[in-house]
Amino acid sequence: MLSDITEEKGEDTAMNWKKRVTGLLLTGVLAVSMVPASMAADTGHAEPEASSDVLEQKDTGVIEENDIDHEEPVIQEGVKFRTDHAAYMEGYGDGSFGPNENLTWAQVCSVIYSQLQDQTMGTQPYTYTDVHSGSWYYRAVCTLASQGILQCDGGKLHPNNLITRGEFIALAVRLVGIDENAECSFTDVDRDNPYYSAIATAVAKGWINGFADNTFRPNESLTRVQAVSVCNSLLGRKIDETVLETAPETLRSYTDVSTDAWYYKQVMEASIDHDGETNADGTETWRSYTHAYTVTFQYSGIRESQNVYEGHKPYQVPTKDNDGKTITHWIAADGSIATPENTAVYEPAVYTAWYAPSLVKDHIQYVYGYGDGRFGPNDALTRAQACMLVYSLLADQTAGTEACSFTDVTPDAWYYQPITILASKGLITAGGKYRPKEVMRRGEFIEMVTRLTAYTSGNVAFPDVTKDNPYYNAIATAVAKGWIYGFDDGNFYPYQSLTRAQAVTVLNKVAGRMGDPKTAQQLDSRYMFTDVKKSFWGYQAIMEAATTHTYKISYGVEVWLDYT
């Protein structure tokens, strides 16, 4: 949508300009140049799929001739353009630019409006019958009409109809004035053509060249690249060739705009924030510009890279590898779970695919009590003990491929095997100290077990778990999957010690072990712990985890068949 311009206007200087700190980015609206004579053939680029970033669905209806006023409107004095060189165009969310897609009247009006230095309302009429106050383009259209850039006689604008090449040139020339002495020789633009003077003026100014067959095709729909090329010329913008030659990898890229395309330079000029100066020969020298950074995804033995514009998110994050295997998580360079699809890019990044290990199908006993018959349901679980519980549920307990060394986990320790195996499989992050004898915190335990499944998007309602919490995504996933509910006061207490009862309650849910409440209530002292009464909130979960049993699922309920 069109957003309000709130930044201060730049100084009006012919030679120096600065990029806007907060530029108006017309997502999916604009692109670049009237096809030069040498490149008039079909560009061969396939149109991108529909994107949510498209400003408006295109109306394919034909504009009725009697609804168009070709008379020159009275333009207010002093139409000036912004002097900064901020990006005024964006591509689509899928990484494409859509160079050959067409533009509507509403979209073109929004582009022109965004480049006006004075965006206040003028004194001319602006009451179109089909431009309503709730429309995203309302302010742009009404401002242009009130300043006399658009002619408004109280009729229709047809804002969602495609704008033709002739109409666009006529609109652009209104901003600078007709050159009455200009001429053009296009075979399809006679002197009695309503756009002749505007097209001739654009030729004289060097904005357009037409096609190789010496036609201009004024009635064809305007494409995004054609529009951007003219706008760059109108605004006096021309890319710094030195940047193209010396640092092309730092420039943003689009999946459908190759570096050898005739419009490549025009797209870069229009879509990259930069500041610098205009040289005497009309070229630019960029002093600084917003960079793009390489984001690399490693999976199936390959490295797939994207060039992502600063502050933007990767446009496509793989969900399956080349063998069709689901990628459970992406692991960042520091070993943490990452969500690249939700992460804005401000530096180069490398993500490695990670696949969750499978858990055992059988309902084996994976937790034990103490020698004195107690279970210790409220005892804090150590980090080593937590790893042992998860390790016990792995279907494959052989080492994985990740780094798995810790300075404080020695081979002679009872917890060496579970900790190193979990680290080798990416369930915990290796390196430095693991602190096996310290208590496991509730948040970090949820982080560990959610690596067994893909993150689920959702919101966290716990007041003590804000979005900047390092465990936020893991806790959101656990809530969405019904693994956790928090405490009666509404909090989750992610930094509180994890108890043994809490641990098995969560692990049972992760493993899909529901327990048999009827059988659990029938168990006698041979199976029970002295400190876990049948009325205890975690009794059923503890019995499920501490008893090996066969089972069946009957009407969505677990029923024990035999137990030991």
Side-chain angles (χ1 to χ4, degrees), residues 46-347:
E47 292 187 354
E49 295 180 0
S51 167
S52 60
D53 287 331
V54 176
L55 291 179
E56 191 76 15
Q57 291 295 323
K58 298 178 178 63
D59 185 346
T60 57
V62 178
I63 301 177
E64 299 176 11
E65 186 64 26
N66 58 11
D67 282 328
I68 300 176
D69 192 334
H70 297 300
E71 294 182 3
E72 196 70 17
V74 180
I75 300 180
Q76 295 180 176
E77 294 294 330
V79 175
K80 296 181 180 180
F81 301 114
R82 302 186 72 103
T83 56
D84 57 273
H85 283 207
Y88 63 88
M89 174 276 302
E90 285 279 342
Y92 296 97
D94 62 359
S96 67
F97 185 81
N100 296 315
E101 287 195 357
N102 302 123
L103 293 173
T104 65
W105 273 87
Q107 292 169 335
V108 167
C109 287
S110 296
V111 171
I112 294 175
Y113 167 80
S114 75
Q115 297 306 300
L116 294 180
Q117 190 175 104
D118 180 8
Q119 294 179 334
T120 60
M121 298 293 287
T123 60
Q124 302 295 318
Y126 58 91
T127 53
Y128 291 107
T129 59
D130 58 352
V131 177
H132 307 293
S133 59
S135 303
W136 62 266
Y137 48 79
Y138 177 78
R139 180 177 175 183
V141 169
C142 291
T143 299
L144 265 58
S146 72
Q147 291 190 9
I149 298 170
L150 287 176
Q151 176 69 44
C152 179
D153 58 2
K156 294 181 178 182
L157 176 68
H158 298 281
N160 296 321
N161 279 8
L162 302 182
I163 190 170
T164 67
R165 289 160 54 86
E167 291 166 343
F168 175 68
I169 290 301
L171 183 59
V173 169
R174 286 175 190 170
L175 298 167
V176 297
I178 292 287
D179 181 351
E180 299 293 347
N181 297 318
E183 296 183 347
C184 68
S185 59
F186 297 125
T187 58
D188 58 347
V189 182
D190 299 327
R191 286 185 177 274
D192 59 353
N193 188 295
Y195 305 121
Y196 177 85
S197 295
I199 293 172
T201 298
V203 170
K205 291 183 175 293
W207 294 357
I208 57 177
N209 297 312
F211 293 88
D213 59 359
N214 198 33
T215 61
F216 179 70
R217 305 173 193 176
N219 297 321
E220 286 189 0
S221 297
L222 178 74
T223 67
R224 287 161 53 83
V225 289
Q226 293 167 355
V228 173
S229 182
V230 171
C231 283
N232 283 345
S233 297
L234 176 65
L235 299 170
R237 294 178 58 159
K238 188 175 182 181
I239 196 168
D240 186 341
E241 299 280 351
T242 303
V243 175
L244 285 178
E245 296 172 0
T246 61
E249 73 282 354
T250 66
L251 301 178
R252 72 184 311 169
S253 62
Y254 297 99
T255 58
D256 54 356
V257 179
S258 61
T259 56
D260 59 355
W262 66 263
Y263 45 78
Y264 173 72
K265 295 177 183 179
Q266 301 281 17
V267 172
M268 294 300 101
E269 170 63 35
S271 64
I272 297 175
D273 285 315
H274 55 277
D275 59 27
E277 60 188 10
T278 301
N279 304 314
D281 62 357
T283 61
E284 293 182 12
T285 298
W286 290 8
R287 288 196 297 268
S288 65
Y289 58 95
T290 303
H291 284 216
Y293 297 97
T294 301
V295 176
T296 302
F297 297 96
Q298 300 182 139
Y299 64 99
S300 297
I302 64 173
R303 290 169 60 89
E304 178 184 295
S305 296
Q306 300 174 12
N307 218 28
V308 182
Y309 195 53
E310 182 177 307
H312 288 229
K313 301 169 185 176
Y315 54 82
Q316 185 176 19
V317 178
T319 57
K320 294 181 181 294
D321 65 14
N322 289 350
D323 297 323
K325 188 177 180 181
T326 298
I327 298 171
T328 311
H329 289 294
W330 289 101
I331 305 298
D334 63 359
S336 63
I337 288 183
T339 54
E341 67 276 12
N342 297 322
T343 304
V345 175
Y346 295 96
E347 60 183 355

